[in-house]
Every structure is written in C-alpha cells, then in structure tokens.
Amino acid sequence: MGSHAAPHHRNRRLLVLASGLMLVVGGLLGLPRADGAPAEGDACHTASTRLPRGDCGPFWQVLAEDFNGDRVPLGSFSDCEHDVDTSAAYCGGLKGKYRDNWWAYPTGWPDTARSRGRQVVGVYHPEDTVSVGPAADGDGRMSVRMWRPADGGPVHAAALVPRAVMQMKYGKYSARIKVTEPAPGYKSAWLHYGGGCEMDHPEGEWDGELSSFHHPCGGGEQGYFPGSDDWTHWHTVSTEWTPGHVRFFVDGRLTGHDTRGVPDRPLSWVLQNESALEGPVAAPGSSARLEITWVAAYAYGWK
C-alpha cells in the first residue's frame, strides 16, 4: 500500500512574512510568458461558473468534465486495485468514459489521519462515498459524501484521481466546488506530492476556511496562504504549476505564489477528501458532502 495512501502532512507553522512577500510579488509580476513579458492573473481567466473549454496561454487542455450525461451510482467506484498509482490505474466497477478518465484510492487504504495519530481516522471507501448524477436543478455533479458509521468506526473517505493528468510534469488544474452539507471532522487536501514535494490547493476543514499550502522540495518552511473563503459557497479553484512557480487562485483571484523548491518531476493530481487532521473529530453517525460541478486540467508547454 505504501505512503501514497496517507501522504505526510504538515506542522502548521506559518510563513507569514515570506508568504506575504511572495503573494505581493506574484500579484505584481505573475509568470513570464513565452515572449518574456509578465502574465497577469489566472492564465485561463478561470473564474466563470461554466466549464472552460480550449487551450489558453501556455496550457493545452487535456480534461474537461462537466458530469452531465451518464450517471455513476454508488457502488461504481469499486475494484480500484488495478495498477495502482500509475497512469494505467483503473476501477473495475466503472464503465465507459468514467473508467477511462477516473481512478480512486482503493477501498481499505488509510487516510492521512492514521499517520497523525488522530483519535478518529478514515479509510478510503470510494464505492460508498462517490457518485455522479444531476442535482435538483439538473446540473450534473460529482458528489463526495463522506460519513462515519453510527457505531463509531472509521470515517469513510474518498481520494479521486483524474487519469489524464497522472504522473504529469507541470500543468493547470481547476474545478468548481461547494460543500453542500458541512459537518465538523471532514476536510479536503487536493494535492500534488512525491519525492519530498507537496502542493495543496484547496485544503481545509469543510466547516472552516479554504486555504493553500506549498511544501518546498528538499524541505524548509511551508508556504501557507490562509483563505478567507467559505467552503459552503461555490468557488472556482485553480493551481498553476510551471517551471519554478506554483500559483493558487480562487475565483480568478491570486491567493498564493511560491518559487521555493517547486517540483520539477511528474506528479499526479489527487482530489483527496478525508477525516480532519485538526479540530473536532467526526461524530458517530455524521456525514458531510462536497459537490463538484466541473473539472478541467491542462498540460504545460510553450506555444
């Protein structure tokens, strides 16, 4: 199973001065374009409520999913032990484009809370937490409903992985999300990690703030970019990862920028949802739900 099922998380020391300076520099300078001029803001202007389609700036789109069309009932994200943590990974219970485009951490893998010694931990159970279907207004959504059994067992968690961007070096990663049913004890840390590197956006307990973190390759103080955004409102979140830069956006607004120890190796994008690492634990019989109305991902390369 290995450490990939429960990536090492952080001592939450704040890099207040450093992250503040990087945020200002990032906002003023942005990333260099191919012609050397600075880019301003989100390269794809990804702030709309609609799924963005097409290439933009130095990014070319490799995934655009709005979850309309096929339904994926509970139970479908099962039998996910095939070729784990590789671009060939798949869930045998899925069919069609969802089998082609999505993988999930297999049932039984422990979440991060296990390695942190939390009183309440989680175990990944994509088969009884993840589904796809229309909301009341007809909008297609992926739903992640985590829950804790009434008998007080481990939280049922879910970590989803878009196959198109598994083990990809650099790129842009965007989604529109909302916690529609909050409860204490549940969180997300959507991340890229490996080889001592980690980029987390968005991250936070679902009943708290949406924040971002960067853990430089080779160690050093984490970059912490505190959020003022509430998980219970719709937000468009984006990570732009290019040579020497990682930038985080919420609704098109730059919220964090770091240049220290940025990964230069292929990493997978993991939509990790799990039991909380801080604060109250999930109560027996409780549940919480995150909904995703679209996901878009882009490879990186100068035009």
Side-chain angles (χ1 to χ4, degrees):
M1 179 161 49
S3 61
H4 48 263
H8 177 70
H9 277 256
R10 71 279 313 150
N11 176 343
R12 301 236 184 232
R13 291 177 294 172
L14 307 186
L15 242 188
V16 176
L17 177 59
S19 55
L21 288 174
M22 282 180 278
L23 181 59
V24 171
V25 171
L28 292 177
L29 299 182
L31 291 177
R33 298 198 306 257
D35 60 5
E40 295 182 1
D42 182 331
C44 300
H45 308 291
T46 315
S48 172
T49 60
R50 296 184 179 182
L51 171 68
R53 293 188 182 276
D55 305 339
C56 51
F59 301 104
W60 50 280
Q61 194 169 55
V62 295
L63 175 66
E65 177 58 71
D66 61 8
F67 303 111
N68 291 319
D70 296 341
R71 295 173 181 251
V72 181
L74 284 176
S76 300
F77 273 87
S78 60
D79 187 25
C80 299
E81 295 84 0
H82 303 277
D83 300 313
V84 301
D85 270 356
T86 73
S87 58
Y90 68 93
C91 296
L94 293 174
K95 300 177 181 180
K97 70 173 185 177
Y98 284 97
R99 182 165 174 167
D100 293 339
N101 292 340
W102 292 92
W103 178 62
Y105 281 2
T107 300
W109 283 12
D111 75 0
T112 309
R114 182 72 58 90
S115 64
R116 292 285 295 270
R118 289 276 286 178
Q119 178 186 0
V120 173
V121 301
V123 174
Y124 292 114
H125 281 276
E127 80 288 351
D128 62 20
T129 54
V130 183
S131 61
V132 176
D137 62 0
D139 179 41
R141 297 178 188 175
M142 175 176 277
S143 172
V144 180
R145 177 184 175 271
M146 295 192 288
W147 55 282
R148 188 179 179 204
D151 64 7
V155 167
H156 286 220
L160 299 151
V161 186
R163 293 184 62 204
V165 290
M166 290 185 75
Q167 294 301 306
M168 189 170 78
K169 184 177 177 181
Y170 308 128
K172 179 179 175 64
Y173 309 86
S174 302
R176 188 157 179 84
I177 61 174
K178 178 182 180 180
V179 171
T180 56
E181 299 174 16
Y186 301 91
K187 69 162 292 186
S188 288
W190 290 17
L191 54 84
H192 292 80
Y193 80 98
C197 314
E198 186 171 338
M199 302 175 290
D200 305 85
H201 179 63
E203 178 170 0
E205 281 66 37
W206 285 359
D207 60 344
E209 293 183 341
L210 186 157
S211 300
S212 308
F213 295 84
H214 175 233
H215 306 271
C217 303
E221 289 279 6
Q222 69 180 0
Y224 168 47
F225 306 98
S228 58
D229 301 293
D230 190 324
W231 285 86
T232 59
H233 291 83
W234 282 109
H235 291 296
T236 299
V237 294
S238 296
T239 297
E240 291 184 5
W241 170 32
T242 57
H245 296 264
V246 58
R247 301 200 300 172
F248 305 121
F249 296 87
V250 178
D251 300 326
R253 183 183 77 257
L254 180 69
T255 58
H257 176 206
D258 208 342
T259 59
R260 303 166 305 121
V262 175
D264 62 356
R265 54 179 290 165
L267 299 171
S268 296
W269 186 31
V270 182
L271 283 54
Q272 180 178 263
N273 311 284
E274 57 185 4
S275 56
L277 301 182
E278 297 180 346
V281 299
S286 68
S287 66
R289 186 187 303 269
L290 172 76
E291 295 187 358
I292 309 166
T293 189
W294 56 256
V295 172
Y298 307 75
Y300 169 82
W302 296 123
K303 297 292 184 181

